[in-house]
């Protein structure tokens, strides 16, 4: 089935999301991958990969409710049943 194979970095991202559970958001996912594979991860590459995984229906996103923090709301990532 074309397009259903996962690249190495996509697997790293999905494993980090699974490991982080309810705490999976961009910076935390990046830190988890960098800590595990000892390789730098650009935030742009991470978000491009998350978008691609979302397009494949492998992850879903939820923006946090008003947290009282200044700045942008965190977008949490969850694995889907796919």
């Amino acid at each position: 089935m074309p397009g259903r194979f996962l690249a190495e970095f996509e697997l790293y991202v999905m494993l980090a999301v699974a490991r982080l559970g309810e705490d999976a958001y961009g910076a935390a996912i990046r830190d988890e991958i960098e800590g595990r594979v000892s390789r730098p991860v650009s935030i742009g590459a991470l978000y491009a990969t998350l978008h691609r995984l979302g397009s494949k229906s492998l992850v879903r996103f939820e923006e946090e409710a008003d947290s009282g923090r200044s700045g942008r709301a965190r977008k949490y990532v969850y694995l889907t049943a796919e």
Side-chain angles (χ1 to χ4, degrees):
M1 174 180 265
R4 294 299 295 175
F5 294 103
L6 297 176
E8 179 183 12
F9 190 66
E10 290 175 322
L11 290 172
Y12 288 158
V13 171
M14 290 184 67
L15 289 168
V17 170
R19 183 160 175 78
L20 291 167
E22 299 274 323
D23 297 323
Y25 63 95
I29 295 168
R30 178 184 181 182
D31 292 344
E32 179 70 20
I33 294 169
E34 286 180 343
R36 297 257 173 209
V37 298
S38 301
R39 140 181 163 184
V41 174
S42 80
I43 201 71
L46 174 61
Y47 280 113
T49 301
L50 286 170
H51 177 74
R52 194 167 49 252
L53 291 171
S55 295
K56 293 179 180 181
S57 299
L58 297 174
V59 298
R60 65 181 174 82
F61 305 95
E62 284 184 24
E63 241 180 77
E64 72 180 340
D66 183 21
S67 65
R69 294 184 316 126
S70 61
R72 295 173 55 176
R74 285 186 180 153
K75 188 181 277 189
Y76 289 91
V77 184
Y78 300 93
L79 295 178
T80 65
E82 283 287 322

